[in-house]
């Protein structure tokens, strides 16, 4: 079996030469599953509804200005399109906020993989002094318990528990919600056998992507998200200061290693790289070719690859991303705190 594609040549992107990509090369990719459920955090409608509310809940931050959605905006493909995100009192971290869409399928969370799954990841920003800055888990639980509606929702989402309003259950609810954020695209239809799902120009870009060796890291269901790779594998990456995974693993051999980002929805999730320093997709492709593969791509080849990458933009689950109505504060609900 062969998939016929056209290789795009010339600066004008004119498709003139026919080539064939062996079907076995496509086996390094896989379509998105219908669900990203967890055996350790079984889904339920009650848990999903609670998690969706908590995802938008600003009162989980000390200043009551920030929620999960502040940095991972669901109406912007799960990002905020900033190099680094604003947090408590205008502080900013040193890494770009990756998209939350399809994130549950990653091998681990964060650029350095320090959280095992989306449930573990949900715990981090709430207590991070640079991000949401809540002082401790007890304050979070106290805030949630101050609103009777949340108490009832937790009891419904975690039935049979004597005290269901816990920090762990907060994270489980948010994780259960995030596991529904799957964004299938025309690419998945193509992988399923519909060769008309991609245009000739997009298939030409796929051919160039494969020929260039990009699939060595960007493969699988997410076209990434399944390995750690050294930034600057072929040539030292200029100006690189963040030591990446070695900060977590304490392994000097993983210095400058980062989790390979997923390419799904990549056209909508700029800026790029761990520090958000690369603004355009064309530049990102050029840099990857140079510093990871040790090669220079012609402008027409870059354009062809980017054309194909745009086919990876999926459908946002509209029924999930609209902001829900949140419980009203009570006299017991802590007030916003911006003192430190």
């Amino acid at each position: 079996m062969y998939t016929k594609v056209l290789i795009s040549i010339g600066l004008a992107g004119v498709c003139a030469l026919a080539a064939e990509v062996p079907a076995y090369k496509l086996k390094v990719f896989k379509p998105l599953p219908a669900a990203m459920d967890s055996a350790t955090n079984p889904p339920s409608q009650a848990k999903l509804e609670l998690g969706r509310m908590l995802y938008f809940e600003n009162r989980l931050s000390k200043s009551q200005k920030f929620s999960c959605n502040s940095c991972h905006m669901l109406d912007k493909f799960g990002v905020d399109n900033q190099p680094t995100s604003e947090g408590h009192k205008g502080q900013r971290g040193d890494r770009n906020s990756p998209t939350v869409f399809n994130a549950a399928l990653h091998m681990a969370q964060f650029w350095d993989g320090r959280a095992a799954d989306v449930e573990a990841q949900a715990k981090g920003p709430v207590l991070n002094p640079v991000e949401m800055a809540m002082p401790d888990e007890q304050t979070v639980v106290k805030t949630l318990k101050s609103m009777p509606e949340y108490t009832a929702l937790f009891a419904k989402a975690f039935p049979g528990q004597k005290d269901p309003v816990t920090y762990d259950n907060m994270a489980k609810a948010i994780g259960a919600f995030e596991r529904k954020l799957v964004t299938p695209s025309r690419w998945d239809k193509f992988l399923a056998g519909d060769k008309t799902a991609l245009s000739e120009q997009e298939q030409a870009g796929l051919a160039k992507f494969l020929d260039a060796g990009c699939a060595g890291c960007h493969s699988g269901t997410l076209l990434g998200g399944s390995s750690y790779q050294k930034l600057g594998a072929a040539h030292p990456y200029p100006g690189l200061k963040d030591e990446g995974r070695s900060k977590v693993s304490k392994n000097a051999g993983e210095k400058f290693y980062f989790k390979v980002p997923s390419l799904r929805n990549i056209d909508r999730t700029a800026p790029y790289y761990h520090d958000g320093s690369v603004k355009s997709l064309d530049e990102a492709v050029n840099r990857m070719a140079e510093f990871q593969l040790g090669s220079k791509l012609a402008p027409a080849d870059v354009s062809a690859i980017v054309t194909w990458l745009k086919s990876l933009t999926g459908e946002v689950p509209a029924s999930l991303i609209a902001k829900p109505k949140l419980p009203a504060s009570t006299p017991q609900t802590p007030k916003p705190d911006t003192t430190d």
Side-chain angles (χ1 to χ4, degrees):
M1 293 288 294
Y2 289 89
T3 300
K4 181 170 287 188
V5 298
L6 298 178
I7 294 181
S8 180
I9 63 171
L11 294 178
V14 179
C15 294
L17 296 179
E20 292 182 338
V21 175
Y24 74 85
K25 288 190 176 183
L26 296 179
K27 291 183 178 181
V28 301
F29 305 115
K30 294 180 180 179
L32 278 172
M36 303 184 291
D37 295 339
S38 166
T40 58
N41 185 24
S44 71
Q45 188 61 31
K47 197 181 293 183
L48 168 63
E49 291 175 0
L50 172 60
R52 181 178 167 217
M53 296 171 76
L54 294 173
Y55 190 91
F56 284 91
E57 183 53 81
N58 287 359
R59 288 164 294 189
L60 293 180
S61 67
K62 187 175 184 179
S63 66
Q64 300 190 4
K65 293 181 179 179
F66 302 102
S67 67
C68 302
N69 193 64
S70 298
C71 300
H72 306 280
M73 299 181 182
L74 298 185
D75 60 352
K76 291 188 176 181
F77 280 83
V79 300
D80 60 5
N81 298 126
Q82 298 185 55
T84 59
S85 301
E86 181 182 356
H88 187 64
K89 296 191 71 175
Q91 298 178 91
R92 290 181 182 268
D94 57 1
R95 290 180 181 164
N96 177 257
S97 297
T99 178
V100 71
F101 288 126
N102 310 305
L105 293 177
H106 283 247
M107 60 182 283
Q109 304 299 310
F110 295 110
W111 284 96
D112 53 20
R114 65 184 183 273
D117 51 35
V118 290
E119 288 79 8
Q121 187 278 332
K123 296 180 180 181
V126 178
L127 302 183
N128 189 313
V130 176
E131 299 181 56
M132 297 168 76
M134 288 295 260
D136 49 48
E137 296 180 10
Q138 291 74 25
T139 302
V140 175
V141 172
K142 178 183 177 181
T143 300
L144 292 170
K145 284 185 173 181
S146 73
M147 293 168 270
E149 188 174 343
Y150 270 133
T151 301
L153 289 168
F154 270 87
K156 187 177 180 181
F158 300 96
Q161 295 188 14
K162 183 178 180 181
D163 186 11
V165 185
T166 67
Y167 196 73
D168 283 350
N169 283 348
M170 175 206 75
K172 286 182 179 180
I174 293 173
F177 168 67
E178 291 181 352
R179 289 180 179 279
K180 298 301 181 183
L181 300 176
V182 188
T183 60
S185 69
R186 290 184 291 113
W187 169 243
D188 296 286
K189 295 179 181 179
F190 180 80
L191 291 178
D194 181 1
K195 303 312 176 185
T196 66
L198 299 187
S199 69
E200 292 180 342
Q201 290 80 10
E202 289 166 340
Q203 293 186 45
L206 168 61
K208 181 51 61 179
F209 179 88
L210 291 167
D211 289 345
C214 306
C217 295
H218 293 285
S219 58
T221 303
L222 298 178
L223 299 96
S226 60
S227 68
Y228 302 107
Q229 298 293 335
K230 183 178 181 180
L231 184 57
H235 303 298
Y237 194 84
L240 185 58
K241 297 179 181 179
D242 189 332
E243 295 186 359
R245 178 144 176 83
S246 65
K247 288 183 179 180
V248 175
S249 68
K250 308 304 180 184
N251 177 4
E254 291 186 306
K255 188 176 181 179
F256 303 139
Y257 276 65
F258 297 88
K259 186 180 66 175
V260 176
S262 167
L263 296 182
R264 285 187 178 270
N265 304 311
I266 196 70
D267 180 49
R268 305 296 295 274
T269 54
Y272 306 109
Y273 291 28
H274 68 284
D275 56 0
S277 60
V278 177
K279 295 181 180 180
S280 76
L281 193 49
D282 287 59
E283 182 184 358
V285 171
N286 266 319
R287 289 195 176 212
M288 281 288 99
E290 180 178 359
F291 296 107
Q292 299 306 110
L293 300 173
S295 61
K296 290 278 190 179
L297 292 177
D301 293 336
V302 173
S303 179
I305 291 173
V306 169
T307 295
W308 169 67
L309 289 174
K310 292 180 179 180
S311 75
L312 305 179
T313 299
E315 298 177 9
V316 179
S319 62
L320 294 178
I321 67 174
K323 183 178 180 179
K325 183 180 179 181
L326 302 180
S329 294
T330 69
Q332 289 72 42
T333 304
K335 303 300 182 184
D337 183 353
T338 59
T339 57
D340 55 40

